[in-house]
């Protein structure tokens, strides 16, 4: 088996002065060069090994260099690297069929994109076209993230990009988020917060008039915003949009493919949670190659089938990426990783709840439907005062990440949040050791 660590080292080029990196001040960017990975680990050019506790942007669900996916990419590359979507290709057809079957979208359709952002843009485009509302309103929510293109910045309730775009110019209206720990509706219980959050969507649809609203676009579970909605929120949203005749788009870019313990997070609720459209990326190929998708149900497909679709992407349904996606779907299935994530996620949540009882700096723990959980840190667990205002990251949390990395564990954080989303293939001992390290580092933080 090929292993970069056994190969002769080539000179490493420092990319700091030649590459613009995302979500940072370019002049301040500094990071090691990663040269290889295997399973839940990756390593840099200096030989430092890191246990990946975030699936590197919550997308390496299958771990790094999954052999089945790598083999499929290699074999497809030898047969056919590229053909436009004007022609058919077998990996695209097989992957589309597999996604429709897993979603239970009989007679639906799949449109392949390059990533999550253009999947969300196309989902909105399709919803508007199917509703015959080219400028129809899209209802989204505050403290959400759907991508960083201009349209997706308008969809997103993200403080980092709020000053770059006016949502109303994109016919986007935002409502408050079902953030139960700090409920914007003043609710004292999760159920009540979920009910009021759904009611806020209903009020916004009614203000705009349902006949002028094309769709509601929401993250169905996991997101780097740290909001995990109460259990009654998504079914309530589905019932509401049905009753108003408005399409529901589930942004499953992060929460699909076992991340939240199901193929797609909405499946926790069965048919009561089934959206009209859903968007996919990240775990679709386990990040081995870039690929996104919009999956639409039969009703939306029927509206679109006889219309000209004025859209296109050169690499839509690229044979290599679709081969990777098909291999990824088979790996999730053959290795029972969806079920494994659900089991380990429950165990991880119990351990994090135990840490919450031990550490006053932990204000809330949420998630745990699969291998995804949020640990929110506070300066006072009674008042729930954050360590620093959102979306700033407290220096003591930055220091925790640096200490963990020096000890070979890579944690992800945003604001006051620790985001735990390890690959679904992580060994149970590795997960236990990483949580043990987090326990020790939190103790050090509190005693500093």
């Amino acid at each position: 088996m090929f292993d970069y660590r056994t190969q002769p080292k080539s000179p490493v080029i420092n990319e700091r002065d030649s590459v613009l990196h995302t979500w940072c001040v370019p002049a301040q960017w500094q990071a090691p060069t990663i040269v290889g990975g295997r399973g839940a680990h990756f390593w840099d050019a200096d030989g430092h090994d890191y246990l990946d506790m975030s699936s590197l942007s919550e997308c390496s669900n299958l771990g790094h260099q999954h052999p089945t996916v790598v083999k499929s990419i290699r074999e497809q590359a030898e047969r056919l690297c590229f053909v436009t979507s004007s022609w058919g290709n077998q990996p695209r057809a097989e992957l589309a069929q597999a996604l429709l079957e897993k979603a239970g979208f009989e007679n639906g359709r799949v449109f392949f994109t390059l990533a999550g952002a253009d999947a969300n843009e196309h989902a909105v485009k399709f919803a508007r076209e199917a509703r015959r509302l080219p400028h129809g309103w899209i209802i989204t929510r505050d403290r959400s993230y759907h991508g960083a293109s201009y349209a997706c910045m308008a969809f997103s309730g993200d403080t980092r990009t709020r000053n770059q775009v006016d949502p109303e110019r994109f016919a986007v209206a935002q409502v408050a988020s079902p953030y139960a720990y700090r409920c914007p509706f003043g609710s004292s219980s999760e159920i009540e917060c979920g009910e009021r959050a759904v009611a806020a969507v209903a009020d916004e649809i009614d203000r705009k008039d349902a006949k002028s609203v094309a769709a509601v676009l929401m993250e169905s579970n996991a997101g780097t915003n740290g909001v995990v909605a109460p259990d009654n929120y998504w079914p309530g949203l589905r019932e509401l949009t049905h009753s108003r005749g408005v399409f529901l788009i589930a942004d499953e870019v992060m929460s699909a493919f076992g991340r939240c313990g199901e193929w797609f997070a909405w499946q926790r609720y069965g048919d009561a949670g089934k959206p009209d459209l859903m968007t996919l990326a990240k775990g679709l190929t386990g990040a081995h190659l870039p690929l996104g998708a919009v999956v639409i149900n039969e009703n939306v497909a029927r509206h679109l089938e006889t219309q000209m679709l004025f859209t296109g992407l050169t690499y839509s349904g690229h044979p290599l990426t679709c081969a990777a996606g098909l291999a990824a779907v088979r790996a999730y299935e053959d290795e029972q990783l969806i079920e494994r994530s659900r089991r380990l996620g429950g165990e991880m949540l119990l351990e994090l709840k135990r840490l919450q009882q031990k550490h006053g700096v932990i204000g809330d723990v949420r998630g745990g439907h699969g291998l995804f959980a949020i640990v929110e840190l506070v300066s006072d667990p009674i008042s729930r005062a954050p360590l620093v205002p959102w979306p700033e990251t407290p220096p003591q949390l930055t220091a925790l990440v640096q200490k963990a990395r020096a000890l070979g564990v890579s944690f992800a954080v945003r604001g006051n949040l620790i985001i735990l989303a390890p690959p679904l293939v992580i060994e149970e001992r590795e997960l236990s050791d990483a949580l043990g390290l987090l326990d020790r580092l939190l103790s050090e933080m509190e005693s500093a």
Side-chain angles (χ1 to χ4, degrees):
M1 184 178 294
F2 185 79
D3 190 334
Y4 276 105
R5 290 173 292 189
T6 66
Q7 306 305 304
K9 287 188 177 181
S10 301
V12 175
I13 299 174
N14 190 326
E15 63 185 73
R16 179 179 178 181
D17 298 326
S18 59
V19 177
L20 283 176
H21 297 88
T22 62
W23 299 114
C24 72
V25 177
Q28 298 175 359
W29 182 88
Q30 188 64 52
T33 297
I34 304 305
V35 297
R38 182 71 62 192
H41 292 260
F42 58 92
W43 48 88
D44 64 26
D46 294 323
H48 299 124
D49 187 289
Y50 306 93
L51 176 63
D52 185 359
M53 284 297 291
S54 69
S55 296
L56 290 182
S57 294
E58 298 79 34
C59 55
S60 296
N61 294 14
L62 290 168
H64 303 277
Q65 303 299 112
H66 191 284
T68 300
V69 182
V70 172
K71 179 174 181 287
S72 179
I73 294 170
R74 184 184 300 116
E75 292 176 348
Q76 181 62 41
E78 292 173 350
R79 284 193 298 270
L80 176 69
C81 282
F82 175 67
V83 66
T84 69
S85 62
S86 300
W87 300 83
N89 76 71
Q90 194 62 24
R92 184 195 301 144
E94 291 185 34
L95 179 56
Q97 182 176 330
L99 294 176
L100 292 169
E101 288 176 355
K102 295 301 181 188
F105 276 30
E106 186 177 355
N107 298 319
R109 293 290 186 95
V110 179
F111 180 83
F112 288 107
T113 66
L114 311 185
D118 55 339
N120 284 323
E121 286 204 27
H122 277 90
V124 167
K125 187 181 293 189
F126 296 150
R128 284 172 168 162
E129 189 157 353
R131 289 268 288 149
R132 299 288 203 276
L133 294 170
H135 303 288
W137 284 95
I138 304 298
I139 311 298
T140 67
R141 70 186 188 212
D142 185 37
R143 194 154 165 166
S144 64
Y145 181 75
H146 300 287
S149 65
Y150 272 104
C152 287
M153 287 193 294
F155 303 154
S156 302
D158 195 306
T159 54
R160 298 170 298 181
T161 58
R162 189 166 287 158
N163 65 345
Q164 296 185 51
V165 64
D166 178 7
E168 288 207 0
R169 292 187 62 184
F170 288 82
V172 174
Q174 293 175 351
V175 298
S177 190
Y179 182 11
Y181 184 62
R182 303 179 187 281
C183 187
F185 308 101
S187 303
S188 58
S189 72
E190 287 197 4
I191 295 299
E192 185 181 10
C193 189
E195 290 173 349
R196 292 187 179 184
V198 171
V201 178
D203 291 345
E204 190 62 35
I205 291 174
D206 293 343
R207 272 193 293 271
K208 300 296 187 219
D209 184 349
K211 293 180 180 179
S212 68
V213 177
V216 171
L217 166 64
M218 301 284 180
E219 292 164 299
S220 48
N221 190 312
T224 56
N225 52 73
V227 174
V228 178
D231 283 343
N232 61 332
Y233 179 73
W234 190 262
L237 204 58
R238 174 68 287 187
E239 183 178 355
L240 163 68
T241 50
H242 263 317
S243 68
R244 297 296 199 277
V246 172
F247 290 139
L248 177 61
I249 305 172
D251 181 343
E252 290 268 354
V253 169
M254 185 179 293
S255 56
F257 301 105
R259 179 57 59 201
C260 296
E262 308 288 343
W263 281 98
F264 314 108
W266 59 261
Q267 289 177 324
R268 287 185 61 229
Y269 311 105
D271 286 343
K274 184 179 288 189
D276 300 290
L277 308 91
M278 68 174 175
T279 57
L280 307 171
K282 293 186 182 285
L284 177 54
T285 68
H288 288 77
L289 286 175
L291 179 65
V294 185
V295 185
I296 64 177
N297 69 8
E298 180 180 11
N299 179 42
V300 178
R302 190 167 56 247
H303 282 88
L304 296 179
E305 281 179 347
T306 57
Q307 300 185 51
M308 171 62 73
L309 296 183
F310 292 104
T311 193
L313 298 166
T314 299
Y315 296 126
S316 178
H318 193 287
L320 273 182
T321 60
C322 286
L326 186 60
V329 169
R330 289 170 176 165
Y332 290 122
E333 192 167 48
D334 293 344
E335 298 173 32
Q336 299 183 313
L337 293 178
I338 310 298
E339 298 82 358
R340 187 174 195 272
S341 176
R342 191 183 309 140
R343 176 176 62 82
L344 290 183
E347 294 174 6
M348 180 173 73
L349 183 66
L350 288 176
E351 178 60 16
L352 293 174
K353 290 287 188 181
R354 186 189 72 79
L355 296 186
Q356 183 181 13
Q357 297 300 313
K358 179 179 178 181
H359 299 286
V361 73
I362 299 180
D364 191 37
V365 172
R366 48 189 179 266
H369 304 121
L371 279 170
F372 176 83
I374 295 291
V375 176
E376 180 164 352
L377 305 185
V378 295
S379 59
D380 182 346
I382 304 302
S383 68
R384 301 184 179 184
L387 290 173
V388 294
W390 178 265
E392 298 174 31
T393 298
Q396 55 267 55
L397 187 50
T398 300
L400 181 150
V401 170
Q402 292 171 343
K403 289 180 180 179
R405 186 175 292 181
L407 294 169
V409 178
S410 175
F411 288 114
V413 300
R414 183 180 174 198
N416 298 288
L417 311 176
I418 301 173
I419 303 169
L420 297 165
L424 312 190
V425 298
I426 190 171
E427 297 292 338
E428 294 186 43
R429 171 55 62 185
E430 293 173 332
L431 179 59
S432 177
D433 289 347
L435 296 178
L437 175 61
L438 180 60
D439 183 7
R440 296 194 301 276
L441 293 177
L442 289 171
S443 294
E444 291 179 15
M445 176 191 291
E446 291 174 316
S447 62

